[in-house]
Amino acid sequence: SVEIDKTDDESDDPDYNYVYLDYAIKGRTRFGRTYIGIPAQIISAQSAESVDVVSGATFSSESVQNAVKEALENAKISED
């Protein structure tokens, strides 16, 4: 599973950013096209590498994707 913690937004207007972060997490429909949220795409692909950003939430989508990549990298168990 992929869980996103939205508590670390230190920007000037975190409430404004949460709207876009919610789009990136949950997905959205825009201009008649449905965009699947980043966590669902990652789980479906079993990879954080090749997922599509959610339209209108590009930076938030990329942030979620990068956070998952970092978490997976930190969770790797050394085989040594």
Side-chain angles (χ1 to χ4, degrees):
S1 73
V2 176
E3 295 179 28
I4 308 299
D5 181 2
K6 301 185 291 185
T7 59
D8 291 337
D9 188 337
E10 297 175 6
S11 66
D12 292 335
D13 194 359
D15 290 337
Y16 181 74
N17 291 334
Y18 286 153
V19 170
Y20 296 102
L21 188 55
D22 278 342
Y23 290 154
I25 294 168
K26 298 175 184 174
R28 72 186 290 203
T29 299
R30 186 171 192 214
F31 303 124
R33 181 168 177 210
T34 299
Y35 297 89
I36 299 170
I38 301 301
Q41 290 184 62
I42 290 170
I43 290 168
S44 177
Q46 290 294 291
S47 172
E49 294 301 321
S50 56
V51 297
D52 295 325
V53 298
V54 175
S55 179
T58 302
F59 295 126
S60 295
S61 296
E62 290 171 347
S63 295
V64 169
Q65 181 183 15
N66 290 332
V68 171
K69 284 180 186 179
E70 184 178 330
L72 289 171
E73 188 64 34
N74 289 337
K76 281 186 180 179
I77 298 173
S78 175
E79 294 182 24
D80 296 336

